[in-house]
Amino acid sequence: MERLQELLPQADVFVHGYRPGALDALGLTRAKRDELAPNRVEVTLNAYGWQGPWSTRRGFDSLVQMSAGIAHAGMGWANADKPTPLPVQALDHATGYLMAAAVLSALAEAASGNSIMHAHLSLARTAELLAVLGKDDAESAPISPATTDYGTATEASGWGPGHRLDPALRVGEASMRWDLPASKLGASDPVWPFTAN
């Protein structure tokens, strides 16, 4: 936590997945974060939201799919006899895109001289947003992984050689790429990868 307090004043954006009260318990209260980085954009994610009896519960994509009823729909899709979460961690992906949009929106507002925005997202809220969209009534065959879903280059990772999944979407001619392979937790020093001149 000490290293985070050293890095935070240099940050334009602080994205984290701490549950309500978790940073407070570590001594990094909202007041302390405001003191260290008053002009930061803060975007945070948790499993079950920011108020109510489940707000402090730990959770992850598949667990939220089970508790939100999405896994019940997945049971029919997978032709299974028990609740089955949808593949590719649908809530993680969808919430990640919403978080990126929140960061860009907040930075645009700040660049226009408007007040600094903060965003609070949850996997459960994303599940609700997806549920409101409804289902397509058309029958479709279960989706299975295909070799075309993956990039062709083999890269070394912290867990051995692997292939990346191709990006789920494209934006014009922009190329989505990563300079570094996936690595195990703690494999890199806690530093900013680049600094402005």
Side-chain angles (χ1 to χ4, degrees), residues 97-128:
Y97 290 124
L98 292 171
M99 292 173 77
V103 167
L104 294 175
S105 179
L107 289 173
E109 288 294 314
S112 298
N114 297 321
S115 60
I116 303 295
M117 296 168 42
H118 298 296
H120 293 84
L121 294 94
S122 72
L123 298 176
R125 180 65 176 128
T126 301
E128 172 64 18

Side-chain angles (χ1 to χ4, degrees), residues 128-143:
E128 172 64 18
L129 290 171
L130 293 175
V132 168
L133 293 175
K135 293 190 319 183
D136 187 342
D137 290 332
E139 289 292 322
S140 59
I143 301 170

Side-chain angles (χ1 to χ4, degrees), residues 25-38:
L26 295 170
L28 198 56
T29 62
R30 171 71 183 262
K32 183 66 174 176
R33 297 191 309 272
D34 288 346
E35 174 192 324
L36 291 170

